[in-house]
Amino acid sequence: MPKVSVILTSFNHEKYIREAIESVLYQTYTDFELIIWDDASSDSSWDIINSYSDLRIKTFRNDEARRGIYGINKAITEIASGEYIAIHHSDDVWEVTKLEKQVEFLNSHPEFGAVFTNVLAIGEDGLQHQDKSNYYANIFEQPNRTRHEWLNYFFYYGNALCHPSVLIRKQCYIDCGLYRYGMAQVGDFDMWIRLCLKYEIYVLPEKLVYFRARNNEANTSGNRPEVGIRVSIEYHNILKSYLLIDSFEEMLAIFPEAKEYYRKDGFEPKFVLAMIATEKNMPNWIKLFGMELLFDLIDDSTKAKKIKSLYGFDYLALVALTAKYDVFSIYTLSECNRQLAERNLQLAERDIQLAERDIQLAERDIQLAECDIQLAECDKKLISIYESSTWYITRPFRYVKSLINAMCKARKDVV
């Protein structure tokens, strides 16, 4: 049996899948099987997959009724025969030494459950991504942490481990569970939380995976409205894994801020987790998670009595807390709508003022046009006078008059 089972998930990546497959086949470490599981691709991916004759390749294909996580879970439980499992995706690429370095690490560090690598973000052209502001450019550049530190980071900041960089012991899936159905966005993140509740992990500080950052946010985790909405719901759900923390020592190792909830008379992990989740700056879906825990505790008479005794928290405190944070953004949305209505009213008033100004300008233009007509008529009268015979005959008299006027003015000036 091979030491490593590589599970390569495929979906409509005809442009990239050949490079993904060959980045596995050309690994310097060769004791592996390559399980390619296509997710009912509608392009030529399946034809490309079946064009390979390498005996290490096993090919499978989902139908329309069974898609998504079904294939990878079935590959882990029924197909993969290796001690270690590597996950790969059909639009990403591996460095040729990836498996060699990761197998060497797990072989020499039995206390670790999985080893990841640093990642280089590449564009659709396969070249290094030049946009340093891109989400994928830096998110996977993480220092190594203990499993407790990782759990703290996951709770406050989210995922920062690249799925196609993992090499994990198959036993970890047995101990921690498979990928959960219904998780379309953060299924791997959910796995890392459950993994770190039992195992230490390590990140090799080398960029051994090329993660393809697609144009127009086309990645599964791309910044699109439906993704953001789904992530918040899934993230809210995976926080339940933290309920597996059952000792104050473990809670304190993950959340040092929990020290204020130490009581020599006992410990209620669900309450401590709820209070951490309802801190002021936490996202709404985490605050909601914390409040749900508190409702469960208050609704349990035994637990309610315990947290009243240990922490002085009762149903009245919960009532006060539920009015403190607008977790569904109802008031926030209402306030935004009010401000928007005020803004629209101001804009409407400005439009009225502008319309009145336009009317005034139009009236002025009419007046100016009328003046232009009057001036034109005056010009026509002057021209008719200048061109008349009377004006011509009286010209000498006007000349004599002008001389007399000049002489009179000169004499007056002398006097």
Side-chain angles (χ1 to χ4, degrees):
M1 293 187 297
K3 184 77 170 181
V4 176
S5 293
V6 178
I7 301 173
L8 192 159
T9 63
S10 163
F11 180 66
N12 284 347
H13 287 149
E14 61 183 1
K15 183 178 178 182
Y16 312 114
I17 190 168
R18 191 176 297 279
E19 187 177 11
I21 292 172
E22 293 178 2
S23 74
V24 179
L25 298 179
Y26 296 153
Q27 287 288 302
T28 55
Y29 184 86
T30 59
D31 188 14
F32 65 83
E33 62 179 348
L34 174 55
I35 302 167
I36 305 176
W37 206 294
D38 182 72
D39 197 12
S41 292
S42 58
D43 63 5
S44 63
S45 293
W46 185 239
D47 293 332
I48 295 172
I49 291 168
N50 286 296
S51 69
Y52 289 87
S53 58
D54 194 300
L55 296 179
R56 294 172 295 180
I57 296 177
K58 301 176 182 178
T59 61
F60 302 88
R61 180 174 168 86
N62 287 337
D63 56 31
E64 291 293 336
R66 292 177 172 175
R67 301 189 61 183
I69 212 66
Y70 169 82
I72 193 170
N73 278 345
K74 191 171 181 65
I76 292 170
T77 56
E78 299 182 21
I79 311 300
S81 57
E83 178 184 352
Y84 303 149
I85 291 178
I87 304 298
H88 197 7
H89 298 327
S90 53
D91 57 345
D92 300 321
V93 185
W94 285 355
E95 271 285 350
V96 294
T97 58
K98 175 187 182 291
L99 289 182
E100 179 182 356
K101 291 179 177 180
Q102 289 184 298
V103 169
E104 181 181 356
F105 180 87
L106 287 184
N107 283 345
S108 57
H109 296 84
E111 70 277 19
F112 285 85
V115 56
F116 299 78
T117 78
N118 280 352
V119 173
L120 178 69
I122 60 174
E124 302 220 11
D125 56 3
L127 301 178
Q128 181 176 354
H129 210 290
Q130 297 302 312
D131 182 5
K132 300 303 180 182
S133 65
N134 185 278
Y135 174 79
Y136 302 107
N138 302 303
I139 186 62
F140 300 126
E141 296 293 324
Q142 296 291 330
N144 270 295
R145 301 177 172 94
T146 67
R147 68 182 186 89
H148 296 116
E149 291 170 338
W150 272 116
L151 287 168
N152 180 279
Y153 183 93
F154 292 154
F155 191 86
Y156 285 108
Y157 303 104
N159 192 19
L161 297 172
C162 186
H163 199 191
S165 80
V166 69
L167 183 68
I168 183 172
R169 299 180 193 277
K170 187 177 182 180
Q171 185 63 39
C172 291
Y173 288 115
I174 297 173
D175 294 342
C176 303
L178 299 172
Y179 297 94
R180 291 169 60 193
Y181 288 95
M183 295 287 181
Q185 303 298 152
V186 296
D188 56 336
F189 179 36
D190 172 62
M191 176 62 67
W192 311 150
I193 292 174
R194 288 184 281 127
L195 176 65
C196 286
L197 284 167
K198 294 187 177 183
Y199 288 92
E200 295 287 349
I201 64 173
Y202 189 78
V203 181
L204 290 177
E206 299 180 60
K207 296 181 178 180
L208 301 178
V209 171
Y210 299 155
F211 181 89
R212 199 176 303 273
R214 304 285 302 283
N215 294 338
N216 302 316
E217 301 293 343
N219 292 83
T220 301
S221 55
N223 184 20
R224 303 186 302 278
E226 69 275 16
V227 172
I229 294 170
R230 195 181 295 122
V231 164
S232 63
I233 295 172
E234 293 183 12
Y235 193 105
H236 173 78
N237 189 271
I238 66 176
L239 292 172
K240 295 176 183 177
S241 293
Y242 284 87
L243 294 174
L244 296 174
I245 304 169
D246 58 3
S247 73
F248 188 78
E249 290 73 22
E250 185 82 351
M251 182 71 75
L252 192 61
I254 298 169
F255 300 108
E257 58 272 34
K259 62 183 179 182
E260 66 175 285
Y261 299 104
Y262 171 74
R263 303 290 186 273
K264 64 179 180 179
D265 297 329
F267 165 63
E268 176 47 57
K270 185 180 286 189
F271 176 81
V272 177
L273 187 60
M275 299 312 292
I276 292 172
T278 53
E279 289 176 351
K280 181 177 180 180
N281 294 324
M282 299 300 284
N284 281 342
W285 62 81
I286 298 183
K287 288 192 179 81
L288 178 61
F289 168 73
M291 290 183 188
E292 288 173 344
L293 297 183
L294 292 174
F295 271 104
D296 289 343
L297 289 168
I298 292 298
D299 203 40
D300 183 323
S301 59
T302 302
K303 294 288 186 181
K305 184 177 181 180
K306 182 179 180 181
I307 63 173
K308 174 66 174 178
S309 173
L310 290 173
Y311 309 108
F313 189 96
D314 58 13
Y315 77 95
L316 293 175
L318 176 57
V319 170
L321 187 62
T322 55
K324 188 175 181 181
Y325 301 121
D326 184 19
V327 296
F328 293 108
S329 300
I330 294 174
Y331 176 79
T332 302
L333 181 60
S334 176
E335 179 64 15
C336 287
N337 287 334
R338 184 190 66 78
Q339 293 179 5
L340 181 61
E342 288 183 356
R343 177 63 173 168
N344 288 337
L345 180 60
Q346 292 171 354
L347 291 174
E349 291 175 348
R350 190 187 68 176
D351 289 342
I352 291 172
Q353 293 172 352
L354 290 173
E356 292 175 348
R357 181 69 180 274
D358 289 342
I359 292 172
Q360 292 172 355
L361 290 173
E363 291 175 348
R364 191 189 66 178
D365 289 342
I366 292 172
Q367 293 171 354
L368 290 172
E370 291 175 349
C371 288
D372 289 341
I373 293 171
Q374 293 173 0
L375 289 172
E377 291 177 352
C378 289
D379 288 342
K380 287 171 65 177
K381 290 179 180 180
L382 286 172
I383 292 172
S384 66
I385 291 172
Y386 292 153
E387 293 178 348
S388 68
S389 58
T390 304
W391 180 262
Y392 180 76
I393 293 171
T394 59
R395 181 177 180 185
F397 298 103
R398 292 197 304 275
Y399 177 70
V400 172
K401 184 179 180 181
S402 65
L403 289 176
I404 294 171
N405 288 338
M407 292 172 64
C408 291
K409 184 176 184 302
R411 181 177 295 174
K412 187 180 293 186
D413 291 340
V414 171
V415 176

